[in-house]
Amino acid sequence: MKAMVYSQYGGPEVLSFKEVPKPLPKPREVLVKVHASSINDWDWGLLRGEPFVNRLLFGLMKPKLKVLGCDIAGRVEAIGSEVKDFQVGQAVFGDISSGNWGGFAEFVCVEEKLLAPKPDEISFEQAAAIPQAGLLALQGFQLHEDQRNPSGFQSILINGAGGGVGTLAVQLAKMKDIHVTCVDKESKLDALKGLGADEVLDYQQVHFSDLGQRYDLILDVMCNRPIGHYRRCLKPNGTYATVGGEMPSLFKIMAYGALFSKVWPNPNKQKINAVMLQSKRSDLNYLSELIVEKKLSPIIDSIYPLTALREAFAHYGTGVHVGKILIKVYEGA
């Protein structure tokens, strides 16, 4: 089979389109013929080996992973001997970051628990835009809803709202009539208004933490401000939830959140959390149902063929994309 492979850290130029062995599914795995995939921030970091913690986790001098890609949509090509939930020919999608990755290839083996059935009403491209971004957005909401004051959830600030997570989070919030404030670069603000954002802020012109506004939930895709700035923007009983950013910042947030909840005074009962992505089939099913019902629509910035993955990563690296950058792997139905 064909795959985009890398054997050293670097920019998009280290990717090579090569013939590699077609994998065989283990007893609880499904072999998926990949129709579409998408680029996530984690792919970008692992490609470059940055920050350094990625090398500690995935290979110090060279990457242990040979094929990136953790969002997939495709059809079941074969099943392992213990697979119960899927059949050959069935359309599926999912986030495979807790498995062996490998979405930027013609075939990939995936544990069946990481997959959900793709409804016929959703294209493979739409399905490939959902998994990681949709799960992070939804689980950020769920984190607050599990902890919030019963008085309700009225306002949210989304920092870095123009990417895959943010554009889905805006729509999820407006479904519940929540007041949404979006922060991103100026070129993305009109698109965010079009999705229903009530307020938009150009981070290059103003720092949201200087405005004196407070929110029930801060959903942070960037993790690029001191934690004290976020705290002063939270209402009593509010939740800060980071769903992105570089690993060192995420570790700081997790450590701070643990101390904040157990050691330091917290009279306002605010919560500081990092969303630990869970590839839950129930959440994938819920997101796909919303798309079928036309309540949610993944925003697709552009679609590249697998052979142009280098160009797709180069575009991703500019940071100008709105929504998701998709990779078309197979043209068939």
Side-chain angles (χ1 to χ4, degrees), residues 6-264:
Y6 80 130
S7 57
Q8 62 180 337
Y9 295 116
E13 72 279 356
V14 303
L15 292 162
S16 298
F17 192 58
K18 291 185 176 181
E19 186 76 28
V20 298
K22 183 177 177 180
L24 296 174
K26 296 175 182 178
R28 295 183 180 179
E29 289 184 338
V30 170
L31 177 66
V32 178
K33 185 179 182 67
V34 181
H35 286 235
S37 186
S38 68
I39 297 177
N40 289 288
D41 190 58
W42 208 354
D43 296 298
W44 178 242
L46 287 175
L47 176 67
R48 297 175 299 134
E50 297 176 358
F52 185 72
V53 69
N54 274 335
R55 296 184 182 231
L56 296 178
L57 295 173
F58 294 96
L60 186 60
M61 301 305 295
K62 60 181 181 179
K64 295 177 183 178
L65 295 171
K66 300 304 180 186
V67 181
L68 295 171
C70 56
D71 281 344
I72 65 163
R75 288 195 183 276
V76 175
E77 181 82 0
I79 60 174
S81 59
E82 298 179 19
V83 170
K84 299 178 180 179
D85 297 336
F86 299 103
Q87 299 176 345
V88 172
Q90 187 171 1
V92 295
F93 74 110
D95 163 62
I96 60 175
S97 60
S98 61
N100 296 320
W101 297 58
F104 299 144
E106 291 180 319
F107 295 92
V108 64
C109 284
V110 184
E111 286 186 84
E112 67 169 331
K113 67 180 182 180
L114 302 180
L115 296 171
K118 182 191 77 67
D120 292 339
E121 296 90 341
I122 299 176
S123 71
F124 285 105
E125 290 79 14
Q126 286 178 308
I130 300 170
Q132 192 165 115
L135 290 171
L136 286 169
L138 181 62
Q139 290 167 15
F141 276 73
Q142 292 169 341
L143 188 64
H144 177 67
E145 289 171 339
D146 289 343
Q147 301 169 343
R148 75 183 187 196
N149 184 291
S151 62
F153 179 9
Q154 299 175 336
S155 61
I156 180 175
L157 180 135
I158 306 171
N159 184 34
V165 177
T167 52
L168 290 172
V170 172
Q171 296 174 73
L172 290 171
K174 296 313 297 180
M175 283 169 46
K176 300 183 179 183
D177 200 28
I178 295 167
H179 188 278
V180 179
T181 299
C182 290
V183 181
D184 214 307
K185 59 183 60 177
E186 192 274 336
S187 62
K188 302 184 182 185
L189 300 185
D190 284 343
L192 292 166
K193 288 179 183 178
L195 292 174
D198 299 284
E199 297 181 60
V200 293
L201 301 173
D202 177 359
Y203 75 89
Q204 296 173 316
Q205 298 296 323
V206 63
H207 293 306
F208 64 85
S209 58
D210 296 334
L211 299 178
Q213 299 296 319
R214 290 195 167 200
Y215 307 91
D216 293 301
L217 172 64
I218 297 175
L219 195 65
D220 190 11
V221 181
M222 303 306 295
C223 203
N224 59 356
R225 303 284 290 171
I227 191 63
H229 292 195
Y230 294 113
R231 276 192 60 192
R232 70 172 181 246
C233 295
L234 284 177
K235 293 180 181 179
N237 299 294
T239 299
Y240 168 86
T242 181
V243 297
E246 295 188 344
M247 285 287 186
S249 297
L250 295 177
F251 288 147
K252 286 180 184 178
I253 292 296
M254 288 187 282
Y256 188 100
L259 289 171
F260 190 53
S261 62
K262 300 183 185 324
V263 179
W264 294 332

